[in-house]
Amino acid sequence: MDDIVPRELIYLADDEGNSVTVNVLGRDPRWSAGLEAEIVVMTPFVSGRVALALYTSRLESWADALNRLNAGEDVAWMEMSSGPSIFIQLTGERDCPEVVVEDESGSMVTVRVPLVPPDDWIADHQQRLQQVMKHWVPLLSA
């Protein structure tokens, strides 16, 4: 099982067909300290994807965001950096969790996706993060 390369850092989906994922595509060929990734939004109404650069400090800030979510706080991940941002609101405008993907520096589009993840989604994402970091971070140069 150790030979399976972890690709899904984030997978938030519900039974209504709404999902937000962050997929690790591989090492960035232009930057030895980074990973190529993408944010993918899928809903019955709108779908799209946007490129994303991941590096160790972004993965560490995702760990911090997961800890804050576990404590009941809403989070902003990658806010105020170049590239897209992800906001997770535990109780959104429709009284359920919402993921907001904002691509202010690129397309200038914001997508709000209401969804109800499974009860154990935070623990699942902490495990996903550990797998991604264990596999990918040793391959990156400082």
Side-chain angles (χ1 to χ4, degrees), residues 45-129:
F45 177 66
V46 65
S47 297
R49 65 185 63 232
V50 62
L52 172 67
L54 290 177
Y55 37 89
T56 304
S57 64
R58 279 196 172 164
L59 294 172
E60 291 167 348
S61 71
W62 177 234
D64 179 57
L66 288 168
N67 289 335
R68 292 193 339 260
L69 285 164
N70 203 33
E73 298 177 36
D74 294 344
V75 298
W77 182 45
M78 301 181 297
E79 183 182 29
M80 304 299 288
S81 66
S82 60
S85 301
I86 295 177
F87 303 86
I88 300 176
Q89 300 169 340
L90 295 172
T91 304
E93 292 179 3
R94 291 169 180 81
D95 293 326
C96 68
E98 287 182 340
V99 180
V100 179
V101 178
E102 188 173 276
D103 183 31
E104 190 173 294
S105 64
S107 65
M108 299 183 1
V109 171
T110 299
V111 178
R112 179 178 303 276
V113 182
L115 49 79
V116 180
D119 291 338
D120 65 345
W121 73 273
I122 295 173
D124 174 57
H125 281 79
Q126 289 169 325
Q127 184 176 2
R128 288 172 185 276
L129 174 61

Side-chain angles (χ1 to χ4, degrees), residues 37-51:
E38 65 181 354
I39 301 171
V40 180
V41 174
M42 305 261 316
T43 75
F45 177 66
V46 65
S47 297
R49 65 185 63 232
V50 62

